[in-house]
Structure formats: structure tokens, C-alpha cells
Amino acid sequence: AASYSHLFADDLAIIINASPWWHRSEFASKMQHSAQTALDQIHAYATKWKQPINCSKTEWQWLHRRVFLPRISLQINGDPINR
């Protein structure tokens, strides 16, 4: 898996790619883990540099060819992020 980030002023976009080697049964849990790890790192950076993240303005989006979308919940510092 890989993650990329794009910064513009105070906006940030993170793209997380799934590994082609992940088995279908572990796909959702690995995506959840990868995304949450990236968010935890961003939160640590924002806290260190005293740049708070407004969770009410933060959203995530799932882009994939699958018809069925797995249930994934993401948080920043314990606050849920809207989908």
C-alpha cells in the first residue's frame, strides 16, 4: 500500500492506494489501518506545530470499482470524520 499527500495553503488531500497483493478478505481492514495511520501522523504533526484540525470540516471519500463499500470509520484524536 502507499499513501500520498498534497498540500495547498491549509488544505490537505491524502490518497491511499491498496496493494494488489492484499486478499479480498483483508482489504477493508488494511485500508482502515492505512488510512487511520496516515491520519494519526497528520494529527501528530498538526499538534506539534499548533495547527488544529477542524474535524467538522474534514471528510473522507472512498473511490473504488467495488459495488459493495466496506464499513470503515476514521477518526482524528477520537473525533469521527464524516464520509
Side-chain angles (χ1 to χ4, degrees), residues 50-66:
K50 297 178 180 25
Q51 297 294 314
I53 298 172
N54 186 343
C55 291
S56 67
K57 293 171 127 183
T58 304
E59 296 180 350
W60 68 274
Q61 183 176 22
W62 179 278
L63 302 173
H64 198 274
R65 295 180 298 190
R66 289 181 171 211

